[in-house]
């Protein structure tokens, strides 16, 4: 199965970038917000989706979310700090693993992300690893706020396949979310559903996919 793979699409959060949403929840509590169930409401989910797909600017998102959470007096700096608390660093060994993989496959990044988060981890990429953009580390990086689509919308995957001229049967998608995996599979893309506690570098041996990886 792995011998047919020529292209690999990586998710970012939970695969390459460490992420822990509970840290943002903890910071919200410290700031006096206690209604955690509100964060799962259709209103908030819709707001987050519009920000992730670039419908809302960072300025609009901050204003609307602060109002929805009744923390309108919070400064933008404090808001961004809380919003970014969920983002951990990118371990050096993951960058090194990606660099090795790129020698053997065409590699792409496909991330549901927003401009506040992007500004933080692209700065980390620049300062710690010397890459100015994710497009330098990958053959191409696709972010939902930039292309105005988000996973698991099948158009997100179709956009990448079409723009890069990829054969789905020769393409592997690695993600930690079941809905995204299922959407890719429906388009004929090979998938690997990685666990958050699983190390992406362990899927490869000197940049080449291991033969015993359970690709679906």
């Amino acid at each position: 199965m792995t011998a047919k793979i020529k292209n690999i699409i990586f998710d970012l959060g939970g695969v390459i970038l460490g992420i822990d949403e509970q840290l943002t929840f903890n910071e919200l509590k410290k700031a006096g917000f206690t209604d955690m169930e509100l964060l799962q409401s259709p209103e908030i989910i819709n707001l987050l989706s519009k920000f992730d797909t670039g419908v809302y600017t960072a300025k609009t998102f901050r204003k609307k979310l602060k109002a929805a959470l009744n923390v309108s007096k919070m400064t933008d700096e404090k808001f961004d700090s809380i919003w970014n608390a969920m983002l951990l660093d990118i371990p050096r060994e993951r960058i090194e693993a990606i660099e090795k993989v790129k020698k053997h496959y065409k590699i792409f990044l496909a991330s549901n992300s927003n401009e506040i988060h992007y500004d933080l981890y692209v700065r980390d990429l620049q300062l710690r690893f010397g890459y100015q953009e994710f497009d330098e580390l990958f053959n191409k990086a696709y972010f939902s706020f930039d292309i105005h689509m988000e996973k698991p919308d099948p158009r997100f995957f179709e956009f990448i396949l079409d723009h890069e001229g990829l054969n789905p049967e020769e393409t592997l998608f690695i993600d930690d979310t079941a809905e995204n995996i299922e959407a890719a599979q429906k388009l004929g893309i090979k998938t690997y559903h990685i666990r958050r506690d699983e190390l992406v570098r362990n899927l490869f041996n000197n940049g080449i996919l291991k033969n015993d990886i359970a690709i679906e």
Side-chain angles (χ1 to χ4, degrees):
M1 181 74 74
T2 59
K4 297 179 181 179
I5 299 298
K6 296 181 180 180
N7 322 292
I8 303 178
I9 303 173
F10 293 88
D11 177 34
L12 180 62
V15 177
I16 296 171
L17 173 78
I19 188 167
D20 185 351
E21 295 89 344
Q22 187 60 45
L23 296 177
T24 287
F25 298 155
N26 293 344
E27 292 302 313
L28 279 172
K29 289 180 181 179
K30 291 178 183 179
F33 179 76
T34 58
D35 187 6
M36 293 298 144
E37 291 186 1
L38 178 60
L39 297 176
Q40 302 299 323
S41 68
E43 175 191 3
I44 299 299
I45 291 174
N46 182 54
L47 178 57
L48 296 177
S49 178
K50 286 185 176 180
F51 188 38
D52 274 355
T53 54
V55 175
Y56 288 154
T57 63
K59 180 179 180 180
T60 299
F61 172 70
R62 292 187 189 101
K63 180 179 179 180
K64 287 182 174 292
L65 186 56
K66 284 194 286 187
L69 302 183
N70 197 28
V71 292
S72 295
K73 294 182 179 180
M74 182 183 292
T75 66
D76 288 349
E77 292 76 14
K78 180 63 175 178
F79 178 90
D80 286 2
S81 176
I82 292 175
W83 181 241
N84 285 333
M86 69 180 76
L87 303 179
L88 308 178
D89 66 353
I90 304 175
R92 181 169 296 276
E93 59 268 20
R94 293 184 188 175
I95 295 294
E96 293 173 349
I98 293 299
E99 290 171 335
K100 291 179 180 178
V101 173
K102 192 177 182 181
K103 295 178 181 179
H104 303 279
Y105 307 89
K106 287 185 177 180
I107 61 173
F108 305 93
L109 189 66
S111 174
N112 283 356
S113 192
N114 57 76
E115 60 176 292
I116 295 177
H117 282 171
Y118 177 85
D119 287 346
L120 180 65
Y121 49 63
V122 79
R123 187 164 63 248
D124 184 42
L125 189 74
Q126 293 169 348
L127 295 177
R128 295 178 56 225
F129 304 109
Y131 292 101
Q132 292 306 302
E133 300 285 349
F134 281 92
D135 281 347
E136 294 182 5
L137 177 60
F138 295 85
N139 290 93
K140 180 67 177 177
Y142 292 90
F143 293 92
S144 60
F145 74 91
D146 188 39
I147 66 172
H148 308 297
M149 292 177 281
E150 63 182 340
K151 300 174 290 183
D153 187 336
R155 295 178 301 168
F156 189 107
F157 301 101
E158 290 173 334
F159 186 87
I160 297 175
L161 293 175
D162 180 60
H163 278 249
E164 300 299 336
L166 305 181
N167 181 343
E169 294 183 354
E170 297 175 344
T171 303
L172 174 65
F173 173 56
I174 301 174
D175 196 289
D176 64 328
T177 303
E179 292 82 2
N180 298 338
I181 290 291
E182 292 169 2
Q185 288 176 344
K186 290 179 180 178
L187 295 174
I189 299 171
K190 305 301 181 185
T191 63
Y192 183 80
H193 188 184
I194 192 170
R195 303 186 309 272
R196 284 252 177 124
D197 62 349
E198 195 172 3
L199 301 178
V200 68
R201 71 174 187 268
N202 290 342
L203 305 182
F204 302 88
N205 184 12
N206 290 322
I208 300 176
L209 280 164
K210 294 180 179 178
N211 288 324
D212 58 351
I213 298 301
I215 294 176
E216 298 182 4

